Amino acid sequence: MRVLVTGGAGFIGGHVVEALLDAGHEVRVLDALLPEVHPAGWPAHLDPRAERVHGDVRDLPAGVLDGVDAVSHQAAVVGLGLDLQDLPLYVGVNELGTAVLLAAADRAGVGRVVLASSMVVYGEGRYACAEHGLVRPLPRSREALEAHRWEPPCPHCGRDLAWHLVPEDAPVDPRSVYAASKTAQEHLSAAWARGSGGAVVALRYHNVYGPHMPKDTPYAGVASLFRSAVARGEAPTVYEDGGQQRDFVHVRDVAQANLRALTAGVEDGALTAYNVASGTPHTIGDVAAAIARGGPDPVVTAGYRLGDVRHVVASPQRARDELGFAAQVGFEEGMAEFVTAPLRGDAPGA
């Protein structure tokens, strides 16, 4: 199978490229090589077996989809970013870029799209109130966060809530610019599937970490930010009280999920979503402590970012049952590797 991997020079994309090639697929990489992301151009670690095309999903190079059987759409601006001035960037790359790509895929007769989605589409995760059952908490207010009231209360009675695993059929509830753009990608892809008769597999990544993760950027993941702080001899800075629950999944496992999604027996003419997670939650404080081992202890600041959610931990059961995917890299093993793994930006061409 010939697969186009958009954003294939990126952190997750590069690992997906390698996994596809190792499985015997032909791979064409499309990447914009934005200077703020890839100042040295094509990264040295990108698998040399892949065909490379320099171009932007918002303005696709001619012929980039020629002979392509499936698209692995990894290209995106990720993370919470800086502030609302990032709105045009997220909408332009994530939403317009996806629309341009899907229109071209329709013209080219592509039959399958594997979409890099995200757990952020759920907003706050799944919660239950002892009196009112399953509820959807309201966004946490600035006033509550300033008062260090970290846990979202029941919207009906104000009682404390208990978090639960989020299944794929939970309603989407994006609570940041990035989350809104990832939700839009899913909606656009579902419309493409209905109109073209093709199949979309949306992989809702949880907190992905591992080698070649970007460093020292506002769009980097929290594990990378902790790692950079430790490398500078500084204590990792933990927001809120460090008790936020997340699922950290290794990038090699994410690549394997993409490989399985490529040939999964899913419904044509529809989008099928899967949580891509380890199945074992950890707090942000746990991650900071694992990365800081041997260095300065993490500092819990009680700071916050408006738009952050408190707990998002998903059920990996559907991916296990239907894709045959289960994460193989454990938290301790993965974090031990991560503290010394090369990051993007460590050296020219990294």
Side-chain angles (χ1 to χ4, degrees):
M1 185 181 294
R2 179 174 292 168
V3 184
L4 174 69
V5 181
T6 70
F11 164 45
I12 297 174
H15 287 274
V16 171
V17 167
E18 184 176 5
L20 293 175
L21 288 165
D22 286 347
H25 297 290
E26 297 179 48
V27 176
R28 178 179 295 155
V29 171
L30 173 70
D31 204 290
L33 299 178
L34 299 176
E36 59 270 29
V37 180
H38 299 287
W42 292 103
H45 63 266
L46 181 62
D47 199 305
R49 295 173 291 172
E51 178 188 353
R52 304 179 182 193
V53 178
H54 181 197
D56 196 308
V57 287
R58 294 167 290 184
D59 184 20
L60 291 173
V64 73
L65 283 162
D66 288 355
V68 167
D69 303 297
V71 173
S72 174
H73 185 28
Q74 307 293 323
V77 179
V78 301
L80 278 182
L82 292 171
D83 53 38
L84 290 176
Q85 298 310 304
D86 280 330
L87 263 164
L89 176 64
Y90 280 101
V91 172
V93 175
N94 297 358
E95 298 185 36
L96 176 60
T98 297
V100 171
L101 177 67
L102 292 171
D106 179 55
R107 293 192 298 273
V110 172
R112 177 163 300 205
V113 172
V114 179
L115 173 67
S117 188
S118 171
M119 57 86 173
V120 297
V121 302
Y122 296 123
E124 283 288 353
R126 190 177 180 90
Y127 291 85
C129 171
E131 180 179 350
H132 296 98
L134 290 176
V135 296
R136 186 185 302 183
L138 297 172
R140 297 182 297 168
S141 69
R142 188 183 299 275
E143 291 74 21
L145 295 171
E146 287 285 353
H148 300 174
R149 296 196 302 271
W150 308 124
E151 299 294 336
C154 175
H156 306 296
C157 67
R159 293 182 180 180
D160 288 345
L161 299 173
W163 64 266
H164 294 265
L165 298 180
V166 186
E168 287 86 351
D169 59 1
V172 297
D173 187 20
R175 298 194 173 187
S176 68
V177 172
Y178 172 56
S181 71
K182 298 306 287 186
T183 304
Q185 283 187 319
E186 288 201 12
H187 290 326
L188 290 166
S189 299
W192 173 84
R194 287 191 295 270
S196 69
V200 176
V201 182
L203 300 178
R204 291 173 176 168
Y205 301 159
H206 283 251
N207 292 67
V208 186
Y209 72 99
H212 306 302
M213 195 174 186
K215 62 178 291 189
D216 300 336
T217 162
Y219 308 96
V222 66
S224 174
L225 298 176
F226 290 162
R227 160 78 189 271
S228 292
V230 171
R232 294 191 300 267
E234 301 171 4
T237 299
V238 180
Y239 284 169
E240 301 184 18
D241 62 353
Q244 309 94 304
Q245 294 279 352
R246 296 291 191 273
D247 188 305
F248 286 81
V249 58
H250 196 277
V251 68
R252 288 195 297 271
D253 284 327
V254 172
Q256 289 302 310
N258 275 269
L259 181 61
R260 291 178 180 272
L262 195 64
T263 56
V266 295
E267 182 182 355
D268 288 335
L271 179 147
T272 307
Y274 295 98
N275 292 323
V276 176
S278 74
T280 305
H282 290 274
T283 67
I284 298 297
D286 290 339
V287 176
I291 293 174
R293 197 166 295 158
D297 290 336
V299 174
V300 179
T301 66
Y304 66 87
R305 294 187 301 180
L306 202 63
D308 266 348
V309 295
R310 181 63 176 172
H311 306 300
V312 188
V313 180
S315 168
Q317 192 62 47
R318 179 187 285 182
R320 186 178 296 120
D321 292 345
E322 299 180 14
L323 294 183
F325 167 75
Q328 300 299 306
V329 182
F331 181 80
E332 294 295 333
E333 173 193 354
M335 286 295 169
E337 176 203 37
F338 180 65
V339 296
T340 58
L343 299 186
R344 190 175 72 207
D346 278 334

